[in-house]
Amino acid sequence: MRQARLFALTKSQAKRLWLRAQRLDEYAPFGDGPGATRAAVEHLGYVQIDTINVIERCHHQILYTRIPGYRRDHLRQAQTVDKTVFEYWTHALSYVPTRDLRFYLGDMKRYRRDRSPWFAAVKKEDLRRVLALIRKHGGLTIRDIDDDVLVEKEHPWASRKPSKRALQMAFYRGVVTVSQRTGMLKTYELMSRHFGWERPPKPAAESEVLNYRLDRALRSQGVVSVDSACYLDARRKPAMRRLIESRMRRKELVSVEVEGAGKLQHWAQPEGLDAALDPTQERVHILSPFDPLIHQRRRLHLFFDYEHRFEAYVPQDKRRFGYFAQPVLVGDEIVAVVDLKTDRERQKLLVQRWTWVSNRSRQLRRRRIEEALHRFERFQLAR
């Protein structure tokens, strides 16, 4: 039997392919205006949402990083007016393209079928009550419900309002969706009414979901492993490996040996291996710790020789980078980590700590990083 050709990539080549896939190698790759937000979310596959507000919310920062002319209202328009993105759980709560919604309907069905321990305290009458309110009065926020009998929290992230947990259950089951956000305040609306469905789309079969997840990984990562295609989704890993092997037999994928990866296997599309970055274009990006380039820590360490630490929950005296540290990408290298905080009263972006993780060209790079920080500050403080 003839052995398939194995392509060898240096670490530098592998990370450049990833940067190209993440669209971090060119200026305004998705264009400008509201349409750029839809295009960016569709290309990346998801944009993570997080509640931490030390600086800009991470979903806005992730989009700003790839859309220099991004405005927060562009995301509101995509979600609430154009309805081209919606919120659901990927590896975390995220904005997802509406065109991909049918690939999430199976997960919603599982939440209806399998009782989650997280929602064990939700009473049927609480769920019926909040759904009746939405049907009668339209979209509502948790602040609109002021007659809850408050309960003790059984988890630090839980709410004392039973209605909030009931709304969250309805959200994960796909009965309601988030039709609008004001800051982090969510308006819940019936999913069918929000999207104007006469009948809901047909859920994707599991084989279609696997193909969708692999295609999403190939598009946004360039070089993939089973782990990176099934991040925090261990149950799908055996089937994902079989799918990759099937595409290998059809010569749609090739095996790739990434320098330093050891036994961890990687694959890529043959035509994608021709992509190359211009080494003279060293673009500077201040990256959220929840950016798609950063949040898969093991992959980040392998490709960039940089081990990120999210230290918001680490005691202050044990922090190396700082409470909400941001990796700084210059060209194809993470060169520094800056711990940032926005002083909204004084209208300033504060650098709490600056840690170099590269010794090369510090003086020149510091000037360019400071310029990027000034641009980020203007975006942060724009009204």
Side-chain angles (χ1 to χ4, degrees):
M1 182 177 176
R2 188 176 177 182
Q3 191 172 9
R5 181 182 174 188
L6 180 67
F7 287 80
L9 293 178
T10 66
K11 196 164 289 192
S12 178
Q13 290 171 321
K15 65 184 176 182
R16 284 169 180 264
L17 289 168
W18 191 12
L19 291 171
R20 167 61 56 88
Q22 280 290 308
R23 295 297 189 262
L24 291 170
D25 64 326
E26 58 183 301
Y27 183 81
F30 300 107
D32 204 356
T37 293
R38 173 195 55 77
V41 178
E42 288 181 349
H43 177 82
L44 296 171
Y46 57 82
V47 169
Q48 185 171 336
I49 301 168
D50 194 78
T51 59
I52 294 178
N53 196 30
V54 176
I55 58 166
E56 185 52 84
R57 308 281 187 186
C58 73
H59 40 281
H60 292 308
Q61 185 178 355
I62 291 166
L63 291 167
Y64 163 78
T65 299
R66 292 158 178 84
I67 309 170
Y70 172 75
R71 299 291 179 266
R72 297 162 187 81
D73 191 58
H74 294 169
L75 184 55
R76 185 201 66 81
Q77 179 169 331
Q79 179 175 27
T80 304
V81 181
D82 300 336
K83 301 174 186 177
T84 53
V85 304
F86 74 104
E87 295 184 26
Y88 203 64
W89 191 267
T90 55
H91 69 287
L93 186 63
S94 302
Y95 285 103
V96 184
T98 301
R99 71 175 188 183
D100 298 343
L101 190 147
R102 72 188 196 94
F103 298 107
Y104 294 86
L105 294 177
D107 289 337
M108 296 174 188
K109 184 177 180 180
R110 274 188 288 276
Y111 270 104
R112 293 194 294 272
R113 184 190 64 211
D114 304 331
R115 187 75 173 177
S116 168
W118 180 252
F119 299 120
V122 176
K123 298 177 181 177
K124 289 182 179 179
E125 54 266 32
D126 291 330
L127 182 60
R128 283 195 297 265
R129 175 170 165 266
V130 295
L131 293 179
L133 285 171
I134 295 173
R135 289 190 187 99
K136 183 176 180 180
H137 300 292
L140 60 79
T141 73
I142 191 61
R143 291 181 186 172
D144 296 325
I145 303 172
D146 54 12
D147 59 348
D148 265 350
V149 177
L150 302 185
V151 298
E152 290 301 315
K153 291 185 180 185
E154 74 273 13
H155 189 282
W157 295 342
S159 171
R160 295 187 64 209
K161 286 189 170 186
S163 295
K164 182 172 183 180
R165 187 63 64 87
L167 283 168
Q168 289 172 330
M169 174 190 272
F171 168 80
Y172 282 102
R173 290 181 171 186
V175 180
V176 302
T177 191
V178 177
S179 61
Q180 180 174 304
R181 272 185 183 263
T182 305
M184 294 304 287
L185 181 65
K186 295 174 281 191
T187 298
Y188 292 92
E189 174 61 285
L190 297 176
M191 183 173 277
S192 57
R193 192 158 64 192
H194 175 70
F195 288 112
W197 293 337
E198 289 186 9
R199 61 180 64 184
K202 182 180 178 182
E206 180 60 20
S207 60
E208 293 177 297
V209 173
L210 282 166
N211 276 283
Y212 160 71
R213 293 198 173 211
L214 179 54
D215 289 336
R216 183 181 71 183
L218 288 164
R219 186 178 66 244
S220 63
Q221 297 173 10
V223 179
V224 306
S225 65
V226 171
D227 288 348
S228 73
C230 294
Y231 182 60
L232 298 185
D233 190 9
R235 73 181 182 87
R236 285 193 167 103
K237 286 184 179 181
M240 181 61 73
R241 180 172 290 278
R242 291 193 294 271
L243 174 60
I244 289 171
E245 290 169 352
S246 172
R247 291 200 187 184
M248 284 271 291
R249 289 192 293 271
R250 298 198 301 269
K251 302 188 185 308
E252 296 172 8
L253 293 179
V254 294
S255 184
V256 173
E257 185 179 82
V258 176
E259 178 189 3
K263 295 182 179 180
L264 182 62
Q265 293 178 286
H266 289 83
W267 297 268
Q269 294 169 308
E271 64 274 17
L273 293 173
D274 296 331
L277 298 186
D278 182 351
T280 64
Q281 294 293 320
E282 283 202 331
R283 302 200 179 279
V284 179
H285 296 292
I286 314 298
L287 296 172
S288 165
F290 304 112
D291 192 278
L293 194 78
I294 302 299
H295 71 70
Q296 291 200 35
R297 304 283 193 253
R298 181 184 177 192
R299 177 180 169 90
L300 176 71
H301 188 224
L302 169 63
F303 281 57
F304 285 87
D305 290 319
Y306 164 71
E307 190 170 6
H308 187 70
R309 290 162 51 97
F310 184 67
E311 299 178 331
Y313 305 117
V314 174
Q316 187 170 356
D317 61 340
K318 297 185 184 303
R319 292 174 191 156
R320 177 186 172 195
F321 297 135
Y323 179 85
F324 201 63
Q326 312 271 296
V328 181
L329 179 74
V330 180
D332 65 353
E333 185 182 3
I334 293 175
V335 302
V337 188
V338 288
D339 182 27
L340 303 178
K341 180 179 181 179
T342 301
D343 186 332
R344 292 173 178 84
E345 187 174 330
R346 294 164 56 202
Q347 291 288 285
K348 288 185 177 182
L349 179 66
L350 308 178
V351 179
Q352 308 278 80
R353 184 182 302 182
W354 183 310
T355 307
W356 288 104
V357 293
S358 171
N359 293 320
R360 195 160 59 90
S361 306
R362 284 189 179 184
Q363 186 173 353
L364 175 61
R365 285 174 163 180
R366 185 176 190 102
R367 178 177 58 78
R368 298 193 61 212
I369 292 168
E370 287 174 344
E371 290 170 355
L373 286 167
H374 284 306
R375 291 193 296 273
F376 187 43
E377 180 181 55
R378 288 194 293 272
F379 166 69
Q380 285 264 300
L381 301 174
R383 297 288 182 180

